[in-house]
Amino acid sequence: MTSYLIKGGTVVGPTGAAAADVLVDGETIAAVFAPGRGPEGVETIDATGKYVIPGAVDAHTHMELPFGGTAASDTFDTGTRAAAFGGVTTIIDFAVQRYGEVVQDGLAAWHAKAEGNCHIDYGFHMILGGVTDEALKAMDQLVNDEGIASFKLFMAYPGVFLSDDGQILRAMQKARDNGAMIMMHAENGPAIDVLVKQALERGETDPYYHGVTRPQELEAEATSRAIWLASVAADCPLYIVHLSASKALEQVAAARDTGRNVFAETCPQYLYLTLEDQLGAPGFEGAKWVCSTPLRSKHESHRADLWRGLRTNDLAVVSTDHCPFCMKDQKELGLGDFSKIPNGIGSVEHRVDLLYQGVVDGKLSLARWVETIATTPARMFGMYPRKGIIAPGSDADIVLYDPSGRTRISASTHHMNMDYSAWEGWEIAGKVDTVISRGTVVVQGNEYKGRKGHGRYIRRGLSDYLV
Ligand code: URP
Ligand code: ZN
Ligand code: ZN
Ligand code: ZN
């Protein structure tokens, strides 16, 4: 099938929806036609009753991330296949430089894990675990030669990933000069460690206390500090990852209102799940939802504020922060001590559906749904217009989405390598029907048609989202 017409659907993009037919030629989109105006005699895919949207871009995943004495349970093989089932056609995963390690060695290790194993296209951000003179030089090389123009720093996890304020400032100054984006894990790690130690001394060992010891003030403080440090670095572009809380959002919104290059993402878990109902589940159950930043209290306005932030663009992107660990042998490492539970939730397969539920619930427009899950992540991280839009010349990464379908989420049916689901039993409106990656149909209904190795590494450019 080299040339075919996707016919009869409603094409949705960041500016709205319209009935249109999409001509695919090889790996790219050749043309978009008014209904019925496309060529005759080519093969067709019937999209009647379906939304035709750009393949979703998940800009925050951690396949096989070593963490907390174990490693995230999805490989690039299992994780990208599950992503494809969920309508995702590109992921950006985080390669890791550990403290004392050469940045390029960390990157090479990540390429070795991914190459030949991915079912969909992939790019990398780089985590800097040690900001040294050599690492700062390496940032230039990654931007110029490796297609990596985004670097994640941590204000949390002292002794593991944490950079101090001086190191953060130096990396921001470098990014300001070479055009890269600084991505920030904004939580005050040293203060959190004090609260964790005190909680454990009081015998508060259940997963619930993971949330209690990471109060939103310590996310807001770190977010604010990152924003001011970026200001000192002459408005270095700053992207706050996995923003979870109202007070942190206020900091981002205030910076954005002054015209700063400050951006933020949130994740489905913060839009739906809570400290009390999930993290506070009886016994050790809550371990399923231990992630950082943590789930927030349902008695405060976080979830409503985050949905509003998505509408106002104070939150520009929804990513998953997909970092799955099984309960058995992995989350269980923290039995009797919540601080030893590996941090992370796996949702790479469910973001498109979970956010479509926001459309059904009247919280997001159709256009905004597509923008936050596909178009803006592609623009933010230098892949646009190759990814994130249905337009002539773009890669033919396309999802046919069935608004009359239903999705029931369960560990017994999901494709992620996890022995539980953070969304077990959730039934939501809408269903991924057909997924096309660079012109190839990889998912049709419940059937998998893709293959390991189809996914290619994407060399990304600079962000085109800056003001
Ligand atoms: O809990 C989380 N988020 N695990 C993944 C690592 C990170 O900080 O993003
Ligand atoms: Zn993080
Ligand atoms: Zn605003
Ligand atoms: Zn993450």
Side-chain angles (χ1 to χ4, degrees):
M1 196 175 345
T2 55
S3 193
Y4 56 92
L5 190 66
I6 301 170
K7 214 173 163 189
T10 300
V11 173
V12 187
T15 55
D21 299 341
V22 179
L23 183 67
V24 172
D25 188 22
E27 297 199 344
T28 58
I29 295 169
V32 180
F33 295 98
R37 297 287 185 87
E40 314 247 322
V42 289
E43 269 188 68
T44 59
I45 292 180
D46 181 15
T48 306
K50 312 273 182 351
Y51 293 127
V52 180
I53 67 172
V57 176
D58 194 335
H60 189 155
T61 69
H62 300 283
M63 306 304 172
E64 300 175 53
L65 174 75
F67 192 101
T70 181
S73 58
D74 264 320
T75 61
F76 279 90
D77 176 6
T78 63
T80 58
R81 183 173 179 276
F85 267 106
V88 177
T89 52
T90 309
I91 61 163
I92 313 180
D93 202 85
F94 286 83
V96 181
Q97 174 233 7
R98 301 195 162 270
Y99 181 79
E101 190 180 28
V102 174
V103 172
Q104 284 89 347
D105 291 350
L107 175 59
W110 237 257
H111 274 299
K113 293 190 209 203
E115 202 174 332
N117 290 320
C118 292
H119 293 250
I120 54 167
D121 289 351
Y122 62 100
F124 294 144
H125 312 286
M126 191 81 217
I127 285 175
L128 296 181
V131 179
T132 57
D133 289 346
E134 290 68 35
L136 291 167
K137 267 196 217 110
M139 287 173 73
D140 286 335
Q141 200 257 324
L142 264 56
V143 172
N144 295 331
D145 307 334
E146 305 290 347
I148 297 176
S150 41
F151 299 87
K152 184 178 178 188
L153 301 174
F154 288 77
M155 301 169 113
Y157 305 128
V160 185
F161 285 130
L162 180 131
S163 292
D164 68 29
D165 292 350
Q167 292 168 324
I168 289 169
L169 182 60
R170 291 186 79 201
M172 285 178 164
Q173 289 170 332
K174 174 57 81 179
R176 175 69 239 188
D177 291 344
N178 66 24
M181 179 81 74
I182 293 294
M183 307 174 76
M184 190 62 75
H185 181 126
E187 288 186 296
N188 186 323
I192 287 167
D193 276 9
V194 170
L195 298 182
V196 168
K197 185 164 176 285
Q198 292 169 346
L200 292 173
E201 280 166 5
R202 285 193 297 270
E204 297 168 351
T205 59
D206 284 349
Y208 175 75
Y209 294 100
H210 171 78
V212 174
T213 55
R214 306 180 94 90
Q216 69 155 332
E217 287 78 1
L218 295 182
E219 183 182 351
E221 183 278 327
T223 302
S224 166
R225 184 156 36 99
I227 288 169
W228 285 121
L229 288 169
S231 175
V232 172
D235 197 22
C236 149
L238 174 66
Y239 178 97
I240 306 290
V241 295
H242 48 54
L243 188 147
S244 71
S246 302
K247 287 184 196 297
L249 179 59
E250 281 171 24
Q251 304 300 318
V252 169
R256 292 184 53 72
D257 288 350
T258 66
R260 296 275 310 280
N261 277 310
V262 172
F263 312 100
E265 70 174 13
T266 191
C267 313
Q269 52 269 32
Y270 308 118
L271 292 165
Y272 289 106
L273 310 179
T274 66
L275 171 68
E276 293 83 7
D277 291 337
Q278 276 78 31
L279 213 40
F284 192 64
E285 276 293 292
K288 293 175 177 172
W289 296 278
V290 165
C291 59
S292 297
T293 54
L295 302 183
R296 298 299 177 186
S297 175
K298 67 177 177 183
H299 303 301
E300 297 165 345
S301 61
H302 304 287
R303 287 174 297 173
D305 290 342
L306 295 180
W307 283 109
R308 191 192 62 239
L310 284 176
R311 291 190 292 274
T312 61
N313 206 35
D314 288 325
L315 296 171
V317 171
V318 180
S319 306
T320 55
D321 192 9
H322 178 76
C323 192
F325 296 99
C326 291
M327 282 294 266
K328 188 167 162 34
D329 297 337
Q330 295 200 297
K331 293 283 187 180
E332 280 175 0
L333 293 169
L335 269 167
D337 178 350
F338 68 84
S339 73
K340 297 203 162 59
I341 301 169
N343 286 199
I345 291 182
S347 298
V348 77
E349 194 171 345
H350 304 311
R351 181 183 55 131
V352 171
D353 293 317
L354 288 166
L355 267 290
Y356 183 70
Q357 184 64 40
V359 177
V360 173
D361 294 344
K363 290 174 171 155
L364 282 188
S365 68
L366 264 183
R368 193 67 189 140
W369 171 52
V370 166
E371 195 168 35
T372 55
I373 62 172
T375 313
T376 301
R379 291 186 60 195
M380 187 73 73
F381 296 111
M383 295 188 288
Y384 186 86
R386 180 170 174 193
K387 305 292 189 189
I389 189 83
I390 292 183
S394 296
D395 281 358
D397 291 353
I398 300 170
V399 174
L400 273 58
Y401 197 79
D402 181 2
S404 62
R406 291 193 75 75
T407 300
R408 193 172 182 285
I409 302 180
S410 171
S412 63
T413 48
H414 74 197
H415 302 88
M416 301 176 290
N417 185 33
M418 287 173 78
D419 63 2
Y420 76 96
S421 171
W423 310 89
E424 185 66 40
W426 281 52
E427 191 164 333
I428 44 190
K431 189 176 190 322
V432 171
D433 178 84
T434 301
V435 181
I436 299 168
S437 165
R438 280 186 287 105
T440 300
V441 173
V442 294
V443 174
Q444 200 161 41
N446 296 323
E447 214 183 309
Y448 195 68
K449 303 192 157 218
R451 70 174 173 83
K452 175 171 135 172
H454 165 81
R456 289 197 195 132
Y457 178 65
I458 304 289
R459 287 174 184 276
R460 298 179 295 110
L462 301 183
S463 177
D464 82 355
Y465 207 71
L466 307 187
V467 292

